[in-house]
Amino acid sequence: DQQVKQNSPSLSVQEGRISILNCDYTNSMFDYFLWYKKYPAEGPTFLISISSIKDKNEDGRFTVFLNKSAKHLSLHIVPSQPGDSAVYFCAASADYGQNFVFGPGTRLSVLP
Amino acid sequence: DGGITQSPKYLFRKEGQNVTLSCEQNLNHDAMYWYRQDPGQGLRLIYYSQIVNDFQKGDIAEGYSVSREKKESFPLTVTSAQKNPTAFYLCASSMARHPVAQHFGDGTRLSIL
């Protein structure tokens, strides 16, 4: 049973528009969340994090929103750029960042 | 530059053979991790180590073994007991103090001949 779900395997967005990537989780004990970006043939790179005491965290073009009651988080990228085309993984931890459970990823394509 | 080095990038194994994947980091991180990625699935934790000479099983440790004799190194052995070893293997490291994001290597793709 997947504890972290990313129900959209892929997403296409026009350059300059907003990209919204979604992540749902089932374990109410999760208290820390990360988003990673992964290019082909490379390891994932950390993008942004949020702890359960917050509902929003922003870093430049990237904003993560956390809705604890809905067990849902989302990553907003504004404006989207072609270089953002990658696979995005959501990850959640129930021990405040010691170990993570990863979602299956969403492939984002930003079209010029 | 500091980082995590995984070698080799591609590895082929005959059935019944053990094979060892290398992971070295020069980030002075205490914790190291091994994940496996299969198509359409997230990363699944195989083993992790918070400190030298100590490691714990992750969610899918069966058929794998690790060692942590040095802080910089965390090799993973895929044994013949692992029935479906073909996958993309990722090594990661992090500071011991939490919470903190993990830094990943570029991975090793293992294929069975």
Side-chain angles (χ1 to χ4, degrees), chain B residues 24-56:
Chain B
E24 304 278 330
Q25 54 98 359
N26 60 5
L27 299 166
N28 199 31
H29 285 169
D30 292 298
M32 296 188 74
Y33 309 80
W34 273 105
Y35 292 92
R36 168 182 172 140
Q37 186 185 14
D38 294 285
Q41 295 193 39
L43 307 178
R44 291 184 291 167
L45 183 64
I46 304 173
Y47 267 98
Y48 66 100
S49 167
Q50 300 288 343
I51 197 170
V52 173
N53 291 324
D54 187 40
F55 47 82
Q56 286 78 40

Side-chain angles (χ1 to χ4, degrees), chain A residues 70-86:
Chain A
K71 295 193 183 68
H72 176 84
L73 69 158
S74 60
L75 174 68
H76 293 212
I77 306 174
V78 182
S80 301
Q81 299 172 354
D84 295 329
S85 297

Side-chain angles (χ1 to χ4, degrees), chain A residues 2 32 34 36 38 41-47 49 51 87 89 95-105, chain B residues 9-10 33 35 37 40-45 48 50 59 88 90 94 98-107:
Chain A
Q2 275 191 336
Y32 193 70
L34 302 176
Y36 283 91
K38 184 182 182 301
E42 293 184 13
T45 54
F46 168 70
L47 205 52
S49 65
S51 86
V87 176
F89 291 98
D95 48 18
Y96 209 54
Q98 182 166 339
N99 291 303
F100 288 93
V101 178
F102 284 79
Chain B
K9 201 166 183 67
Y10 300 95
Y33 309 80
Y35 292 92
Q37 186 185 14
Q41 295 193 39
L43 307 178
R44 291 184 291 167
L45 183 64
Y48 66 100
Q50 300 288 343
D59 300 321
F88 188 57
L90 283 162
S94 69
H98 308 289
V100 66
Q102 296 170 6
H103 296 254
F104 283 84
D106 285 341

